[in-house]
Amino acid sequence: MPGHFEPLPGGGAAVALDEVEISIIRSLAVQLLELIGPGPAEDAGEDPLAQLFAEGPSEPPADPVLRRLFPDAYTDPAHEPGDPVEAEERRAHSAEFRRYTENDLRAGKRENALAVIRTLDRIASSAEGGEAVLELSPEGSRQWLGALNDLRLAIGSRLEISDEDDTDPLYRLPDDDPRKPMVLAYLWLGGLQETLVSTLMP
């Protein structure tokens, strides 16, 4: 899937996508929305105004993908301090930080994913039997960039990719490996993300 973003005069970016590409990205964005879940104000019986002052969770999510999307701010399981007092202090700071930031982070990620879905829905009918050109404003480009990053983090977590060096063995997967479609999607989204970043650079 060779699609790549190109800058638009005056800001923003454009990319040509076919029906299959639109369907894949939209499906992944919908799955991301389902994983992130509804916002507090969307829960039945909740007062939206009260949600402005609502506290978020203090514990990391159980799902490994959500833990990747919403990591602890002050702790790193791979580099736990040897001093138990320091470790406990870091956990307390992380819990406090999460309590006051995670709701906003989730809302931002939901908005980015929704922006992707809405823009794809606008061009879907034009792509029937061919390609359609998706044009994004500078703000739309930033929302897409955030969503593409989240999608790659989610897929990378499922593939147990902790950094880009982990992708080398994935290039050599046989075609019948069940991870192959996810790997192809991960690499393709990476190409889209990279070219979109380049359109935002001065």
Side-chain angles (χ1 to χ4, degrees):
M1 298 180 187
H4 60 276
F5 281 96
E6 296 181 356
L8 289 173
V15 63
L17 300 170
D18 63 28
E19 286 181 271
V20 174
E21 293 167 333
I22 291 171
S23 176
I24 290 172
I25 299 173
R26 191 185 190 285
S27 175
L28 290 171
V30 168
Q31 291 177 56
L32 181 64
L33 274 177
E34 293 172 349
L35 181 65
I36 294 171
E42 298 172 56
D43 293 336
E46 293 289 348
D47 177 4
L49 184 60
Q51 298 309 315
L52 292 173
F53 307 99
E55 293 183 1
S58 59
E59 295 297 321
D63 188 294
V65 174
L66 288 176
R67 281 202 303 274
R68 188 82 174 271
L69 292 173
F70 304 102
D72 271 338
Y74 297 98
T75 62
D76 181 357
H79 301 93
E80 278 288 331
D83 181 355
V85 174
E86 182 184 350
E88 183 56 36
E89 286 179 352
R90 287 193 184 184
R91 283 191 287 271
H93 289 314
S94 290
E96 189 76 358
F97 185 82
R98 183 180 295 278
R99 183 177 298 119
Y100 293 109
T101 60
E102 186 167 312
N103 283 347
D104 286 343
L105 288 173
R106 283 180 181 261
K109 292 180 186 299
R110 273 193 298 273
E111 279 303 309
N112 290 342
L114 281 169
V116 167
I117 293 167
R118 289 171 183 145
T119 52
L120 290 175
D121 286 347
R122 284 203 301 268
I123 67 164
S125 60
S126 302
E128 293 177 3
E131 289 184 336
V133 175
L134 172 68
E135 294 189 354
L136 300 173
S137 66
E139 174 60 22
S141 294
R142 286 187 285 273
Q143 289 181 306
W144 262 73
L145 188 59
L148 288 173
N149 185 62
D150 288 341
L151 290 173
R152 292 192 79 236
L153 285 174
I155 295 172
S157 179
R158 293 291 188 229
L159 292 170
E160 300 182 346
I161 298 172
S162 58
D163 59 54
E164 288 302 317
D165 291 338
D166 293 339
T167 60
D168 289 343
L170 298 176
Y171 284 104
R172 297 186 291 275
L173 288 178
D175 290 341
D176 58 355
D177 191 297
R179 295 171 294 170
K180 189 79 170 189
M182 277 202 300
V183 171
L184 293 175
Y186 180 83
L187 298 173
W188 174 52
L189 293 174
L192 284 175
Q193 183 181 14
E194 185 177 343
T195 58
L196 184 53
V197 167
S198 69
T199 70
L200 295 171
M201 298 178 70

